[in-house]
Amino acid sequence: MVIDILSREHRNIERLLTVLEHELNIFDHAGRPDYEVIGSIIAYFEVYTELYHHRQEDLIFAKLQLRDPVAAAKVGDLAREHQKGSDRLHRVAHAVANVRAGAEIPRENVDAIIRDFLAHERRHIRMEDRDFFPAAVKALTAQDWAEIASTLSPHKDPLFSDVTEARFDVLRDHIIELEKEAEAERH
């Protein structure tokens, strides 16, 4: 089901947000974060999330507006939320590019920009999981889901599918390493 795919993508996005936060914590303590990993996370959001994930959600939301306008109104303006997320991502990309270029930019400013992105992305995912997805499952018909499924992009997730892109290899390896470290700390 389409919602299952989108929910799985949300879990993957949460993993990326955790990695980004980990790198930000290194930066905050005057360390040198892995900018290749950060750049890969930004690229993932720019490519996959903005071009594919959000478009699928927007299609579902359009159907929800037709089937249950009250539920859609409770969700709010999803397209605007996605655009605001994109704007925040571009601020993150710009701040990171400035740091990498050696521009004079206070660490607090970089921290605030990235933490704003992290907080809003997490809040947005929680809202979709809690309000949007259940409302869509309840309101949309089998025909609606079939129509939506027929428009699914043939593009596989470039990071978390079996068809991966080389540019995300370092990020994928970094995620696996962080997860191993976290597991070791729990035991």
Side-chain angles (χ1 to χ4, degrees):
M1 183 177 227
V2 176
I3 290 293
D4 294 333
I5 294 168
L6 293 172
S7 292
R8 187 172 46 253
E9 290 174 356
H10 278 181
R11 302 304 69 82
N12 293 338
I13 290 167
E14 288 171 350
R15 290 168 72 188
L16 292 176
L17 295 173
T18 298
V19 172
L20 180 59
E21 187 171 43
H22 173 81
E23 294 301 319
L24 180 60
N25 289 336
I26 292 169
F27 176 81
D28 285 348
H29 292 95
R32 180 154 170 76
D34 190 328
Y35 287 111
E36 187 171 354
V37 166
I38 293 170
S40 294
I41 292 170
I42 292 168
Y44 178 87
F45 275 95
E46 289 173 338
V47 173
Y48 193 75
T49 306
E50 289 189 13
L51 296 179
Y52 302 107
H53 179 82
H54 288 162
R55 287 191 179 161
Q56 295 303 317
E57 290 177 340
D58 292 343
L59 289 171
I60 295 167
F61 187 71
K63 293 282 187 185
L64 180 61
Q65 287 176 308
L66 294 172
R67 299 284 180 215
D68 189 345
V70 172
K74 288 180 183 175
V75 169
D77 188 344
L78 196 63
R80 181 166 160 76
E81 283 297 310
H82 289 161
Q83 182 57 52
K84 287 162 77 175
S86 178
D87 294 343
R88 284 186 186 90
L89 175 64
H90 293 289
R91 283 194 294 277
V92 167
H94 185 70
V96 170
N98 282 339
V99 168
R100 292 186 80 177
E104 292 292 322
I105 179 169
R107 283 186 185 269
E108 312 82 59
N109 293 6
V110 175
D111 180 83
I113 290 166
I114 296 175
R115 291 209 187 273
D116 178 61
F117 174 76
L118 291 167
H120 281 86
E121 284 300 306
R122 287 174 170 147
R123 190 168 32 254
H124 178 76
I125 287 171
R126 279 193 309 271
M127 178 280 295
E128 287 182 342
D129 288 343
R130 182 191 63 231
D131 300 329
F132 174 44
F133 290 173
V137 167
K138 183 177 176 185
L140 274 59
T141 66
Q143 178 63 34
D144 293 333
W145 290 114
E147 289 173 17
I148 292 165
S150 73
T151 66
L152 285 177
S153 168
H155 291 85
K156 299 292 183 195
D157 187 317
L159 180 59
F160 295 102
S161 70
D162 51 355
V163 180
T164 59
E165 291 183 22
R167 67 179 158 166
F168 294 113
D169 285 344
V170 170
L171 176 57
R172 189 175 24 267
D173 292 345
H174 193 70
I175 290 169
I176 291 167
E177 188 60 35
L178 287 176
E179 288 173 346
K180 285 178 185 175
E181 290 173 11
E183 185 64 27
E185 289 177 10
R186 285 192 281 273
H187 296 288

